[in-house]
Amino acid sequence: KAITKDINLIKYTKLKNKHNRISNIQKNKDLSDVSPFYKGPPEDASKIKIGIVVSRWNESITGKLLEGAIAFLREEGIPDESIIINYVPGSFELPQGALLQYKHEKPSAILCLGCLIKGETPHFDFIAQACANGITRVSLKTKIPVAFGVITANDENQALERAGGKSGNKGKEAAATALAMLKEFRKKY
């Protein structure tokens, strides 16, 4: 069932049905497109709760980022019931969505997935900077890993290349980053 709450103009939705497409994602244990510094999941991976906040803007691309992230998390031992997915209107809202998700769901780490494609005006630059700075602030405020899985591309083809094409999948990379941070710091502090 989908449970929907309106919080501060962001539709905060915890999905456990066909809309999040978790059950349709194939496993693929290929680590060639993640950081060479990724050394596997934390020992207690099955007990980790991962939040994912996804931008609906450029949904054909962010959906592929989400699929890559979920497939990777599953492969690394994170159970489906420990993956919380919430949607926000655009990448500008990712930081607020991540903060609200942290407040209400208390995940171990959060992935922020979005896609910004440059247009003819400086709007792209303002949104990209605000998004990156906001995600950084959420991570520092919550003291949990908040991974930046936002594609910033000059055109749709570049974005598609980074959403499962020849340049990998930035959603998968964000998931690997979050798990690497949890492995390194979870038990130390």
Side-chain angles (χ1 to χ4, degrees), residues 86-183:
N86 301 104
Y87 292 89
V88 294
S91 293
F92 183 81
E93 292 80 23
L94 286 170
Q96 186 181 20
L99 198 56
L100 292 169
Q101 188 181 66
Y102 175 77
K103 179 180 177 184
H104 295 282
E105 301 291 344
K106 300 293 186 224
S108 308
I110 298 173
L111 316 179
C112 291
L113 306 179
C115 177
L116 295 165
I117 299 174
K118 192 169 183 108
E120 297 176 3
T121 68
H123 179 76
F124 168 90
D125 300 312
F126 297 124
I127 298 300
Q129 185 173 10
C131 178
N133 290 338
I135 290 170
T136 300
R137 284 194 308 273
V138 171
S139 184
L140 295 172
K141 182 174 184 170
T142 61
K143 297 178 178 53
I144 67 168
V146 181
F148 186 83
V150 180
I151 294 172
T152 53
N154 288 319
D155 57 47
E156 187 174 3
N157 287 334
Q158 282 184 350
L160 288 168
E161 288 173 3
R162 289 155 179 77
K166 69 179 183 182
S167 296
N169 186 303
K170 300 304 176 193
K172 179 179 180 179
E173 289 179 24
T177 297
L179 293 182
M181 289 291 287
L182 287 172
K183 183 173 186 166

